[in-house]
Amino acid sequence: MELIQNTPDLAAYLAADDVIDHEHPVVRRIVATLSADAPDAYAYAEAAFTFVRDAIPHSFDSGDPHVTWRASDVLEKRTGICYAKSHALVALLRARGIPAALCYQKFEAVHGLIALKLPGRERWVRQDARGGEVGAGAQFRLDREQLAFTVRPEFNEVDYPVLFAEPHPAVLQCLRDAVDRHRLAQLLPTAL
């Protein structure tokens, strides 16, 4: 699948905003910790991926009732669903100058993941830091994708090819409108 930037300006995939708040002290503190053992962008990207996948439980798996959507909140509270975990990973990558995008798949509900563009590489590579039992197979790979879920077109599942510089409005709206995890489950978008 050819991935398509929703904006041609690569700088948009490095930007901070109220969701991908990579200038926040919590984000910067984790970036510093992860950078200590990562001599280059490749090692850092893998460390950031592993941290988000393994240290931040998916709230549907853990039963945590909190709904997080801002990257700094996800990192501070150590909880979030796939969208929130993606926001956190994108913030950690952008804070180190690695272009990162948000992307999505459609199953029964829309699933969130990311794509990154490492120095010296021509193409974007998708990564899925969902984690948990269901996503245990997701690995940081640059040679091929190893995501938490594989789409099955025969079941009307879809890999959306668009790389978003900002969260999709439908995704962000459901996160902001949910008062808790139970309500969030009812608000998840089923398509983009």
Side-chain angles (χ1 to χ4, degrees):
M1 173 179 65
E2 182 179 345
L3 300 174
I4 305 161
Q5 293 178 210
N6 76 328
T7 179
D9 185 5
L10 195 60
Y13 298 94
L14 292 167
D17 59 27
D18 65 327
V19 178
I20 312 296
D21 58 342
H22 65 70
E23 296 168 352
H24 192 282
V26 169
V27 177
R28 291 294 179 174
R29 186 175 60 247
I30 293 171
V31 168
T33 300
L34 295 173
S35 295
D37 295 325
D40 59 31
Y42 293 85
Y44 176 80
E46 184 170 10
F49 168 86
T50 303
F51 175 80
V52 172
R53 185 193 61 195
D54 298 348
I56 301 172
H58 191 286
S59 57
F60 283 178
D61 295 341
S62 69
D64 192 316
H66 296 97
V67 176
T68 55
W69 53 269
R70 184 176 284 119
S72 58
D73 290 340
V74 175
L75 295 169
E76 185 172 42
K77 293 179 179 165
R78 300 285 171 101
T79 190
I81 66 166
C82 59
Y83 312 138
K85 291 178 65 146
S86 293
H87 299 168
L89 181 53
V90 165
L92 292 173
L93 294 169
R94 289 182 183 182
R96 274 289 301 262
I98 300 169
L102 297 159
C103 42
Y104 304 94
Q105 296 173 306
K106 176 192 168 296
F107 298 99
E108 287 183 23
V110 173
H111 173 61
L113 54 155
I114 71 113
L116 57 87
K117 191 169 189 181
L118 287 164
R121 297 242 171 185
E122 289 295 317
R123 58 185 200 78
W124 291 87
V125 181
R126 293 190 309 168
Q127 305 291 335
D128 189 347
R130 184 206 185 279
E133 255 182 69
V134 174
Q139 300 294 319
F140 184 84
R141 306 270 320 231
L142 299 176
D143 58 336
R144 64 178 175 81
E145 289 185 345
Q146 191 166 341
L147 308 176
F149 307 107
T150 302
V151 276
R152 299 166 300 170
E154 66 272 17
F155 293 106
N156 295 321
E157 298 173 351
V158 177
D159 266 322
Y160 293 111
V162 179
L163 301 173
F164 293 90
E166 299 172 343
H168 189 280
V171 166
L172 192 54
Q173 190 66 46
C174 84
L175 290 170
R176 287 182 170 166
D177 288 350
V179 295
D180 60 23
R181 182 180 43 81
H182 176 70
R183 180 68 179 136
L184 178 60
Q186 299 167 346
L187 296 174
L188 294 174
T190 56
L192 297 182

